Amino acid sequence: MGQQDQVAGVEALIAQVIAREGDYSDHPADRGGATRFGITEAVARADGYTGPMRRLPIERAEAIYRRLYWSGPGFDRVAALAPRLAAELFDTGVNMGPDVATGFLQRALNALNRGARDYPDMKADGRIGPSTLAALSAFLRHRGAAGEVVLLKAVEALQGERYLTLAERRPANEAFLYGWLADRLS
């Protein structure tokens, strides 16, 4: 995937997230509190935004998504090898945090390396680095085009299990479970 394609791809991903998340929300069951375009107040404040959440500019939200949920965690580097997987990591990172999404990828890669015959296990530290990229590259080399689909399914399975656990541990999260799971189908 060329850099120009990647830029267009991440812009489309950001637009999809913003469309799904909607404008302003302050749902009483949402521990994240007030959000605009899916950006929580805590994230906006950490980014230096001091205004009311109802007025967070869409351009600011887009920049936050690009920096904190795409290039910052290294999903752009994953996209160069496996674009569909990178899109899923971005989406998962937005919902659960990029470290969690990366941890899912690392766990799946470790479990799919055929007892470390294809590539060595790595520490599931939630960071995209040389070991993760090398493992992903080796996995795709050994498994071919179908490998990305299988890896994507593994990451989605881990994500779904986490959503169910969140709802089981905190019944107020049941208000969001259907939407969390439905979003995975789009």
Side-chain angles (χ1 to χ4, degrees):
M1 175 182 259
Q3 187 170 356
Q4 208 169 31
D5 292 335
Q6 242 188 57
V7 170
V10 73
E11 295 307 317
L13 293 172
I14 291 169
Q16 290 168 9
V17 167
I18 289 173
R20 186 172 58 242
E21 293 290 341
D23 195 323
Y24 177 81
S25 175
D26 195 4
H27 194 288
D30 189 348
R31 286 185 171 171
T35 66
R36 183 151 194 221
F37 308 121
I39 301 295
T40 65
E41 187 168 6
V43 168
R45 299 290 180 241
D47 189 60
Y49 179 72
T50 58
M53 283 304 292
R54 286 185 186 275
R55 293 198 180 132
L56 177 74
I58 193 166
E59 298 81 12
R60 185 91 183 238
E62 291 167 341
I64 290 170
Y65 280 124
R66 252 182 249 103
R67 189 177 63 262
L68 297 183
Y69 299 96
W70 184 251
S71 60
F75 298 152
D76 56 335
R77 293 182 286 161
V78 172
L81 300 169
R84 291 174 55 197
L85 177 63
E88 179 60 33
L89 294 173
F90 170 80
D91 188 65
T92 303
V94 166
N95 289 307
M96 299 181 175
D99 294 354
V100 172
T102 300
F104 290 166
L105 170 62
Q106 291 168 328
R107 289 177 57 202
L109 283 167
N110 283 342
L112 290 166
N113 68 0
R114 295 190 278 196
R117 285 192 315 256
D118 292 342
Y119 49 88
D121 280 340
M122 75 193 95
K123 181 179 178 187
D125 61 3
R127 305 277 185 261
I128 300 283
S131 296
T132 303
L133 293 171
L136 176 58
S137 183
F139 174 80
L140 295 171
R141 191 172 51 254
H142 286 283
R143 297 298 188 163
E148 184 177 6
V149 175
V150 170
L151 194 52
L152 186 60
K153 285 181 181 184
V155 168
E156 289 172 340
L158 291 166
Q159 182 184 29
E161 191 282 328
R162 183 170 168 126
Y163 283 138
L164 289 171
T165 298
L166 289 171
E168 290 169 343
R169 289 186 182 158
R170 183 174 177 258
N173 283 337
E174 290 181 12
F176 308 111
L177 181 60
Y178 184 88
W180 288 339
L181 294 171
D183 284 346
R184 307 295 59 84
L185 300 175
S186 55

